[in-house]
Coordinates of all heavy atoms in Angstrom, one line a residue:
P1 N 0.8 -1.2 0.0 CA 0.0 0.0 0.0 C 0.8 1.3 0.0 O 2.0 1.2 0.4 CB -0.8 -0.1 1.3 CG 0.1 -1.0 2.2 CD 0.8 -1.9 1.3
N2 N 0.2 2.3 -0.4 CA 0.9 3.6 -0.4 C 1.0 4.1 1.0 O -0.1 4.4 1.7 CB 0.2 4.6 -1.3 CG 0.9 6.0 -1.4 OD1 2.1 6.0 -1.2 ND2 0.2 7.0 -1.7
Q3 N 2.2 4.3 1.6 CA 2.3 4.7 3.0 C 3.6 5.5 3.1 O 4.5 5.3 2.3 CB 2.3 3.6 3.9 CG 3.3 2.5 3.7 CD 3.2 1.4 4.6 OE1 2.6 1.4 5.7 NE2 3.9 0.3 4.3
K4 N 3.7 6.3 4.1 CA 5.0 7.0 4.4 C 6.0 5.9 5.0 O 5.7 5.3 6.0 CB 4.8 8.1 5.5 CG 6.0 8.9 5.7 CD 5.8 9.9 6.8 CE 7.1 10.8 7.0 NZ 8.3 10.0 7.3
D5 N 7.0 5.7 4.3 CA 7.9 4.6 4.6 C 9.4 5.0 4.5 O 10.2 4.1 4.3 CB 7.6 3.4 3.8 CG 7.8 3.7 2.3 OD1 8.1 4.8 1.9 OD2 7.8 2.7 1.5
D6 N 9.7 6.3 4.5 CA 11.1 6.6 4.3 C 11.5 7.8 5.2 O 10.9 8.8 5.1 CB 11.3 7.0 2.8 CG 12.8 6.8 2.4 OD1 13.7 7.0 3.2 OD2 13.0 6.5 1.2
N7 N 12.5 7.6 6.0 CA 13.0 8.6 6.9 C 14.2 9.3 6.4 O 14.8 10.2 7.0 CB 13.3 8.0 8.3 CG 12.1 7.5 9.0 OD1 11.0 8.0 8.9 ND2 12.3 6.3 9.7
V8 N 14.7 9.0 5.1 CA 15.9 9.6 4.6 C 15.6 10.6 3.6 O 15.8 11.8 3.8 CB 16.8 8.4 4.0 CG1 18.1 9.0 3.5 CG2 17.1 7.4 5.0
I9 N 15.0 10.2 2.4 CA 14.6 11.2 1.4 C 13.1 11.2 1.4 O 12.4 10.2 1.1 CB 15.1 10.8 0.0 CG1 16.6 11.0 -0.1 CG2 14.4 11.6 -1.1 CD1 17.0 12.4 -0.1
P10 N 12.4 12.3 1.8 CA 11.0 12.3 1.8 C 10.4 12.4 0.4 O 11.0 12.7 -0.5 CB 10.7 13.7 2.6 CG 11.9 14.5 2.2 CD 13.0 13.6 2.2
A11 N 9.1 12.0 0.4 CA 8.4 12.1 -0.9 C 8.1 13.6 -1.2 O 8.1 14.4 -0.4 CB 7.0 11.3 -0.8
V12 N 7.9 13.9 -2.5 CA 7.7 15.2 -3.0 C 6.4 15.8 -2.2 O 6.4 17.0 -1.9 CB 7.5 15.3 -4.5 CG1 7.0 16.7 -4.9 CG2 8.8 14.9 -5.2
S13 N 5.4 15.0 -2.0 CA 4.2 15.5 -1.4 C 4.5 15.9 0.1 O 3.6 16.6 0.7 CB 3.1 14.4 -1.4 OG 3.6 13.2 -0.8
E14 N 5.6 15.4 0.7 CA 5.8 15.7 2.1 C 6.7 17.0 2.2 O 6.9 17.5 3.3 CB 6.6 14.6 2.7 CG 5.7 13.3 2.8 CD 6.6 12.1 3.2 OE1 7.8 12.3 3.6 OE2 6.1 11.0 3.1
I15 N 7.2 17.5 1.1 CA 8.1 18.7 1.2 C 7.4 19.9 1.8 O 7.9 20.6 2.6 CB 8.7 19.0 -0.2 CG1 9.6 17.8 -0.6 CG2 9.5 20.3 -0.1 CD1 10.3 18.0 -2.0
P16 N 6.2 20.2 1.3 CA 5.5 21.4 1.9 C 5.4 21.3 3.5 O 5.6 22.3 4.2 CB 4.1 21.4 1.2 CG 4.4 20.7 -0.1 CD 5.4 19.7 0.2
S17 N 5.0 20.2 4.0 CA 4.9 20.0 5.4 C 6.2 20.2 6.1 O 6.3 20.7 7.2 CB 4.2 18.7 5.8 OG 5.0 17.6 5.3
L18 N 7.3 19.7 5.5 CA 8.6 19.9 6.1 C 9.0 21.3 6.1 O 9.5 21.8 7.1 CB 9.7 19.1 5.2 CG 9.6 17.6 5.3 CD1 10.6 16.9 4.4 CD2 9.9 17.1 6.8
L19 N 8.7 22.1 5.0 CA 9.0 23.5 5.0 C 8.2 24.2 6.1 O 8.7 25.1 6.8 CB 8.8 24.1 3.7 CG 9.7 23.5 2.5 CD1 9.3 24.1 1.2 CD2 11.1 23.8 2.8
T20 N 7.0 23.8 6.2 CA 6.1 24.4 7.3 C 6.7 24.2 8.7 O 6.6 25.1 9.5 CB 4.7 23.9 7.1 OG1 4.2 24.2 5.9 CG2 3.8 24.5 8.2
S21 N 7.2 23.0 8.9 CA 7.7 22.6 10.2 C 8.9 23.5 10.6 O 9.1 23.8 11.7 CB 8.1 21.2 10.3 OG 9.2 20.9 9.5
F22 N 9.7 23.9 9.6 CA 10.8 24.7 9.8 C 10.4 26.2 10.0 O 11.1 26.9 10.8 CB 11.9 24.6 8.7 CG 12.7 23.4 8.8 CD1 12.5 22.3 7.9 CD2 13.7 23.2 9.8 CE1 13.2 21.2 8.0 CE2 14.4 22.1 9.8 CZ 14.2 21.0 8.9
R23 N 9.3 26.6 9.4 CA 8.9 28.0 9.6 C 8.2 28.1 10.9 O 8.2 29.2 11.5 CB 7.9 28.3 8.5 CG 8.5 28.6 7.1 CD 7.6 29.4 6.2 NE 6.3 28.7 6.0 CZ 6.1 27.8 5.0 NH1 7.1 27.6 4.1 NH2 4.9 27.3 4.8
H24 N 7.6 27.0 11.4 CA 6.9 27.1 12.7 C 7.4 26.0 13.6 O 6.7 25.0 13.9 CB 5.4 27.0 12.5 CG 4.8 27.9 11.5 ND1 4.7 29.3 11.8 CD2 4.4 27.8 10.2 CE1 4.1 29.9 10.8 NE2 4.0 29.0 9.8
P25 N 8.7 26.1 14.1 CA 9.2 25.0 14.8 C 8.6 24.7 16.2 O 8.5 23.6 16.7 CB 10.7 25.4 15.0 CG 10.7 26.9 14.9 CD 9.6 27.2 13.9
R26 N 8.0 25.8 16.8 CA 7.4 25.6 18.1 C 6.1 24.7 18.0 O 5.9 23.9 18.9 CB 7.0 27.0 18.7 CG 8.2 27.8 19.1 CD 7.7 29.2 19.7 NE 8.8 30.0 20.1 CZ 9.3 30.0 21.3 NH1 8.9 29.1 22.2 NH2 10.4 30.7 21.6
R27 N 5.4 24.8 16.9 CA 4.2 24.0 16.7 C 4.6 22.6 16.2 O 3.9 21.6 16.5 CB 3.3 24.6 15.6 CG 2.7 25.9 16.1 CD 1.4 26.2 15.4 NE 1.6 26.3 13.9 CZ 1.7 27.4 13.3 NH1 1.6 28.6 13.9 NH2 1.8 27.4 12.0
S28 N 5.8 22.5 15.5 CA 6.1 21.2 14.9 C 6.8 20.3 15.9 O 6.7 19.1 15.8 CB 7.1 21.4 13.7 OG 6.4 22.2 12.8
R29 N 7.5 20.9 16.9 CA 8.1 20.0 17.9 C 7.1 19.4 18.8 O 6.0 20.0 19.0 CB 9.2 20.8 18.7 CG 8.6 21.8 19.7 CD 9.7 22.3 20.6 NE 9.1 23.1 21.7 CZ 9.2 24.4 21.8 NH1 9.9 25.0 20.9 NH2 8.6 25.0 22.7
S30 N 7.4 18.2 19.3 CA 6.5 17.6 20.3 C 7.3 17.3 21.6 O 8.5 17.1 21.6 CB 6.0 16.3 19.7 OG 7.1 15.4 19.5
V31 N 6.6 17.4 22.7 CA 7.1 17.1 24.0 C 6.3 15.9 24.6 O 5.1 16.1 24.8 CB 7.1 18.3 25.0 CG1 7.7 17.9 26.3 CG2 7.8 19.5 24.3
S32 N 6.9 14.8 24.8 CA 6.2 13.6 25.2 C 6.8 13.1 26.5 O 8.0 13.2 26.8 CB 6.3 12.5 24.1 OG 7.6 12.2 23.8
V33 N 5.9 12.5 27.3 CA 6.3 11.8 28.5 C 5.6 10.5 28.5 O 4.4 10.4 28.3 CB 5.9 12.7 29.7 CG1 6.3 11.9 31.0 CG2 6.5 14.0 29.7
G34 N 6.4 9.5 28.8 CA 5.8 8.1 28.9 C 6.4 7.2 27.8 O 7.1 7.7 26.9
P35 N 6.1 5.9 27.9 CA 6.6 5.0 26.9 C 6.1 5.4 25.5 O 5.0 5.7 25.3 CB 6.0 3.6 27.3 CG 5.7 3.8 28.8 CD 5.3 5.3 28.9
Q36 N 7.1 5.3 24.5 CA 6.8 5.6 23.1 C 7.0 4.4 22.2 O 6.6 4.5 21.0 CB 7.6 6.8 22.7 CG 7.2 8.1 23.4 CD 8.1 9.2 22.9 OE1 9.2 9.5 23.5 NE2 7.7 10.0 21.9
S37 N 7.8 3.5 22.6 CA 8.1 2.3 21.7 C 8.0 1.0 22.5 O 7.8 1.1 23.8 CB 9.6 2.5 21.2 OG 10.5 2.4 22.3
E38 N 8.1 -0.1 21.9 CA 8.1 -1.4 22.5 C 9.3 -1.5 23.6 O 9.1 -2.0 24.7 CB 8.2 -2.5 21.5 CG 7.0 -2.7 20.7 CD 7.1 -3.9 19.8 OE1 7.9 -4.7 20.0 OE2 6.3 -4.0 18.8
A39 N 10.4 -1.0 23.2 CA 11.6 -1.0 24.1 C 11.3 -0.2 25.4 O 11.6 -0.6 26.5 CB 12.8 -0.5 23.4
D40 N 10.6 1.0 25.2 CA 10.2 1.8 26.4 C 9.2 1.0 27.2 O 9.3 1.0 28.5 CB 9.5 3.1 25.9 CG 10.5 4.1 25.4 OD1 11.7 3.9 25.6 OD2 10.0 5.0 24.7
A41 N 8.3 0.3 26.6 CA 7.2 -0.4 27.3 C 7.9 -1.5 28.1 O 7.5 -1.7 29.3 CB 6.2 -1.0 26.4
Y42 N 8.8 -2.2 27.6 CA 9.4 -3.3 28.3 C 10.3 -2.8 29.5 O 10.3 -3.4 30.5 CB 10.3 -4.2 27.4 CG 9.5 -5.0 26.4 CD1 9.7 -4.9 25.1 CD2 8.5 -5.9 26.9 CE1 8.9 -5.6 24.2 CE2 7.7 -6.6 26.0 CZ 7.9 -6.5 24.6 OH 7.2 -7.2 23.8
E43 N 10.9 -1.6 29.3 CA 11.6 -1.0 30.4 C 10.6 -0.6 31.5 O 10.9 -0.8 32.7 CB 12.3 0.3 29.9 CG 13.7 0.0 29.4 CD 14.6 -0.5 30.5 OE1 15.1 0.2 31.4 OE2 14.8 -1.8 30.6
T44 N 9.4 -0.2 31.2 CA 8.4 0.2 32.1 C 8.0 -1.1 32.9 O 7.8 -1.0 34.2 CB 7.2 0.8 31.5 OG1 7.5 2.0 30.8 CG2 6.1 1.1 32.5

């Protein structure tokens, strides 16, 4: 299926959102607390 699957070179359709994230970094960054991955969960 068509899905976001690349963390190295983004798709052309993703470029506008990347540019927006750099123009508004405060909104684009996330602050999280708690387990986020399976490795985190097993540590918990």
Side-chain angles (χ1 to χ4, degrees):
N2 185 23
Q3 59 180 346
K4 184 183 184 305
D5 62 350
D6 204 328
N7 297 323
V8 184
I9 290 290
V12 172
S13 60
E14 298 169 7
I15 294 178
S17 62
L18 288 176
L19 296 177
T20 301
S21 69
F22 282 106
R23 288 198 300 268
H24 306 286
R26 289 180 181 270
R27 294 205 300 262
S28 300
R29 71 168 187 251
S30 62
V31 182
S32 58
V33 179
Q36 294 176 272
S37 66
E38 289 184 18
D40 286 342
Y42 290 124
E43 271 298 279
T44 299

